[in-house]
């Protein structure tokens, strides 16, 4: 990388455009920039999870690897034609998901975001991941991109959900279950 980042501002984006990794320029509101920008936002929200206390070492290791993967994925989206996310990355997510999910009790209700600070930050990361996935889908409809980024984000959102369950239990707060019975229909009044 050398001295590439020695000058932080360039003024070249003042007109509403930005440079892609291949040197071409696009609008800052292009589908491609929106997609890799949201991947960057996702990476930041995972950083919030990692900045909280009480994240188990195995989860910390998984999320740190995910942050590296997301930097690669963002690079792939930023450089048209580049391929960084591999099927093996997706398989690793699936294996990790299975390992973390196996000891958890089966779900009988939906879970509300919460369960302690780490789990709540994890739920935020999960929802940003879903948005990143939607934006990559939109990009794929407009431009030719590989399927792996979309598949990676889809699997990652599932993994983040399971990690939230693990974090809620590790914190001692437990999972916050949706109480669907609270809206039972009232009985008609007697006339």
């Amino acid at each position: 990388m050398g001295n590439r980042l020695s000058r932080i501002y360039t003024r070249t984006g003042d007109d509403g455009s930005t440079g892609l990794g291949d040197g071409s320029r696009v609008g800052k509101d292009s589908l491609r920039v929106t997609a890799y920008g949201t991947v960057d936002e996702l990476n930041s929200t995972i950083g919030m999870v990692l900045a909280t206390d009480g994240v188990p070492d195995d989860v910390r290791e998984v999320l740190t690897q995910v942050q590296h993967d997301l930097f690669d994925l963002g690079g792939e989206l930023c450089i048209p034609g580049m391929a960084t996310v591999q099927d093996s990355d997706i398989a690793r997510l699936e294996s990790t998901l299975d390992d973390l999910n196996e000891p958890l009790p089966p779900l009988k209700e939906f879970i509300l975001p919460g369960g302690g600070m780490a789990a709540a930050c994890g739920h935020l990361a999960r929802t940003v991941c879903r948005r990143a996935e939607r934006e990559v889908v939109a990009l794929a409809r407009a431009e030719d991109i590989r399927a792996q980024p979309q598949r990676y984000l889809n699997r990652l959102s599932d993994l983040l959900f399971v990690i939230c369950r693990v974090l809620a239990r590790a914190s001692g707060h437990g999972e916050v279950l949706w109480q669907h019975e609270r809206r039972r229909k009232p009985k008609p009044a007697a006339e």
Side-chain angles (χ1 to χ4, degrees):
M1 192 173 268
N3 292 327
R4 184 174 180 190
L5 296 177
S6 61
R7 186 169 173 203
I8 302 303
Y9 67 92
T10 62
R11 297 187 178 110
T12 57
D14 290 352
D15 65 353
S17 69
T18 191
L20 296 179
D22 66 356
S24 64
R25 294 199 66 81
V26 297
K28 289 185 178 184
D29 59 350
S30 75
L31 291 174
R32 185 172 292 276
V33 174
T34 298
Y36 73 70
T38 304
V39 168
D40 185 35
E41 181 183 351
L42 170 58
N43 209 336
S44 296
T45 60
I46 290 173
M48 289 173 55
V49 176
L50 291 170
T52 61
D53 293 330
V55 175
D57 289 341
D58 59 337
V59 172
R60 185 171 297 284
E61 183 178 323
V62 166
L63 292 178
T64 300
Q65 178 61 54
V66 164
Q67 283 193 303
H68 288 283
D69 291 348
L70 290 174
F71 210 83
D72 294 339
L73 194 155
E76 179 168 336
L77 295 174
C78 180
I79 304 172
M82 183 173 206
T84 57
V85 178
Q86 302 301 319
D87 291 335
S88 59
D89 298 317
I90 298 161
R92 187 187 73 246
L93 291 183
E94 291 172 349
S95 175
T96 302
L97 199 158
D98 291 341
D99 290 346
L100 290 174
N101 191 50
E102 193 275 325
L104 296 174
L107 284 175
K108 297 181 181 174
E109 300 292 343
F110 288 106
I111 296 173
L112 298 178
M117 183 57 80
C121 289
H123 281 291
L124 179 61
R126 175 186 56 78
T127 61
V128 173
C129 187
R130 284 290 186 204
R131 180 161 36 93
E133 180 187 4
R134 291 190 302 270
E135 290 170 357
V136 168
V137 167
L139 175 61
R141 291 188 196 287
E143 297 185 38
D144 187 29
I145 64 166
R146 298 176 335 119
Q148 283 83 353
Q150 180 181 330
R151 289 178 49 225
Y152 183 93
L153 291 168
N154 187 27
R155 214 65 82 249
L156 178 58
S157 64
D158 294 335
L159 175 60
L160 289 171
F161 176 77
V162 168
I163 285 175
C164 290
R165 295 191 70 199
V166 169
L167 292 173
R169 291 172 173 283
S171 72
H173 287 90
E175 297 168 321
V176 181
L177 301 179
W178 175 50
Q179 298 172 0
H180 61 87
E181 298 90 15
R182 78 189 196 300
R183 292 213 180 249
R184 291 205 172 178
K185 293 182 180 179
K187 295 180 181 179
E191 293 184 32

